[in-house]
Amino acid sequence: MTYVRNAWYVAAWEQDLEPDKPMAVSILNDPIVLWSADGRLVACEDRCVHRLAPLSLGHCEGARLRCMYHGLLFDADGAVVQIPGQEMIPPQARLRTYPVALRHSWVWIWMGDPALADPALIPPAVGFDDPDYILGRGFLDYAAEARLIDDNLLDFSHLSYVHAKSFGAGPEFAEERPRLLPLDRGVRFERWVVGTRGPGGRQSDAPIDSWQSYDFLLPGVLLMWSGSFAAGTAERCGFERPDYDEAIGAVTFTSQAVTPTGDRTARYFFSWGPHRNHGDEAVRDMLMRLADMAFAEDKLMIEAQQRVIDRTPAPRIMPTVHDRGVTLFTRLVDRLARTEAGEAVAA
Ligand code: FES
Ligand SMILES: [Fe+2]
């Protein structure tokens, strides 16, 4: 499958990266070591220049990292600065480094041309530093290609079937289509559900209008806001985006990031929680329990789907009307990947 390289990939939750402790991550099959020391955050190839031992088994010394096999010392720019017992340091003794950024509680790594690494392209998620939201977080490792998870997040018609129990999703997700809007680096989805009683009829005694909107952005990051509004709001807004200040409840934010780690493996990062005016830590914990249940439902289906695909000679798909978002995103990825390949040839 094709992936863009000129994009910021989520490598880790900031909270999981301990100071002075190297962390091994894998993105697009590249082994990467992350470390944060002396106020610097560094991402380098996780492969010592000497005999290819993983530097993630090394030790931080200030902002430097020592390989704990034979003791080569690397600085935060990836250069070897010490070879125990040897005076001369070859000029090519240097690791590949990756542009890295900390934003919205995520560690982001730019996998493409470092000269193009523009922090403005980091998807505008909501992190734990945002006082408006009370979030929980987690991640899941998948034995499946990242693109299958992207496809899942680009087509919520599966909610009516995969998540009928956990989310209490009604038939409207499969029977009605959201409004779609192509974005420069993704696709926007918007949906009003009019006169509902909330998921599984659980949320309110009287009918309400429920709004849900998400952006699915390169390389595979979903940012979703939703909320409940008084009956009649959808019509009054002309079925456009409402003002969240008018919400009567259930305003939540979730971010979900899909990072391809290997050919058939991915890591799926997620957060979810209520807006402070519409919930507290107990609501957050309830949402996280729901998320754990629902994301396990997706994983079961998608990993099983991967196994079937792997056993199928020349697998082909038959898109339905719900695949429009998947198709728009796939075309965007293919177009950018072709541009990247052209740039690589021209360089
Ligand atoms: S492999 Fe790193 S110092 Fe030998
Ligand atoms: Fe799902």
Side-chain angles (χ1 to χ4, degrees):
M1 288 244 185
T2 311
Y3 297 94
V4 294
R5 292 198 75 95
N6 286 329
W8 292 98
Y9 283 84
V10 173
W13 279 110
E14 173 187 10
Q15 296 91 329
D16 293 336
L17 183 65
E18 293 172 44
D20 302 315
K21 203 160 173 278
M23 177 193 233
V25 299
S26 175
I27 305 178
L28 292 171
N29 257 331
D30 285 9
I32 297 172
V33 56
L34 270 178
W35 79 90
S36 146
D38 256 10
R40 275 199 72 170
L41 177 63
V42 186
C44 277
E45 64 181 306
D46 191 9
R47 192 187 286 128
C48 181
V49 297
H50 175 221
R51 299 187 74 82
L52 316 185
L55 293 166
S56 48
L57 294 180
H59 276 175
C60 289
E61 296 183 7
R64 296 169 160 182
L65 181 64
R66 189 177 296 281
C67 176
M68 288 308 283
Y69 200 177
H70 313 94
L72 264 66
L73 185 65
F74 297 85
D75 70 11
D77 297 318
V80 175
V81 290
Q82 190 190 87
I83 302 176
Q86 175 176 319
E87 287 289 309
M88 209 279 292
I89 296 176
Q92 75 274 22
R94 173 175 283 281
L95 300 168
R96 173 178 178 190
T97 59
Y98 297 81
V100 60
L102 194 60
R103 197 169 292 180
H104 317 306
S105 307
W106 269 330
V107 179
W108 303 84
I109 294 182
W110 179 267
M111 296 301 292
D113 179 353
L116 303 176
D118 179 358
L121 295 178
I122 295 176
V126 170
F128 285 72
D129 50 349
D130 187 321
D132 284 346
Y133 287 89
I134 303 170
L135 299 173
R137 69 184 168 88
F139 70 81
L140 277 174
D141 281 326
Y142 262 77
E145 288 195 48
R147 286 292 292 278
L148 295 184
I149 310 170
D150 295 342
D151 295 349
N152 168 280
L153 296 172
L154 286 155
D155 173 8
F156 272 18
S157 69
H158 78 273
L159 265 72
S160 302
Y161 296 93
V162 176
H163 304 311
K165 264 204 221 116
S166 55
F167 287 150
E172 66 273 9
F173 286 95
E175 280 166 13
E176 290 158 32
R177 278 177 280 152
R179 185 164 53 214
L180 252 73
L181 193 74
L183 305 172
D184 278 353
R185 289 178 70 84
V187 186
R188 174 165 297 165
F189 299 75
E190 295 176 338
R191 181 193 296 270
W192 275 108
V193 182
V194 175
T196 173
R197 287 173 198 269
R202 293 191 297 240
Q203 199 172 298
S204 73
D205 297 333
I208 51 166
D209 289 355
S210 146
W211 165 259
Q212 183 186 67
S213 153
Y214 68 95
D215 289 352
F216 193 79
L217 303 170
L218 288 168
V221 179
L222 174 147
L223 307 176
M224 179 163 97
W225 286 263
S226 49
S228 301
F229 294 78
T233 307
E235 202 171 339
R236 197 162 42 72
C237 303
F239 293 89
E240 295 294 328
R241 172 179 294 262
D243 178 354
Y244 275 102
D245 287 343
E246 292 176 14
I248 55 171
V251 176
T252 68
F253 170 79
T254 171
S255 58
Q256 299 170 29
V258 186
T259 298
T261 49
D263 290 335
R264 293 257 188 302
T265 56
R267 187 163 278 187
Y268 174 54
F269 299 91
F270 54 88
S271 73
W272 200 15
H275 188 281
R276 195 164 288 283
N277 295 342
H278 298 277
D280 52 15
E281 279 75 9
V283 170
R284 181 222 26 224
D285 293 346
M286 183 273 292
L287 292 176
M288 288 311 288
R289 280 195 298 278
L290 268 186
D292 285 343
M293 217 198 298
F295 297 159
E297 292 166 341
D298 285 315
K299 185 167 143 77
L300 185 82
M301 182 61 80
I302 293 169
E303 290 184 339
Q305 177 195 16
Q306 178 76 69
R307 289 192 295 274
V308 174
I309 290 171
D310 289 346
R311 287 205 314 267
T312 307
R316 287 173 52 185
I317 54 159
M318 186 211 71
T320 71
V321 74
H322 291 293
D323 282 288
R324 196 166 153 245
V326 179
T327 306
L328 281 174
F329 191 75
T330 303
R331 282 199 197 132
L332 176 65
V333 170
D334 289 349
R335 178 163 54 78
L336 292 178
R338 271 200 307 276
T339 311
E340 285 177 5
E343 281 162 0
V345 170

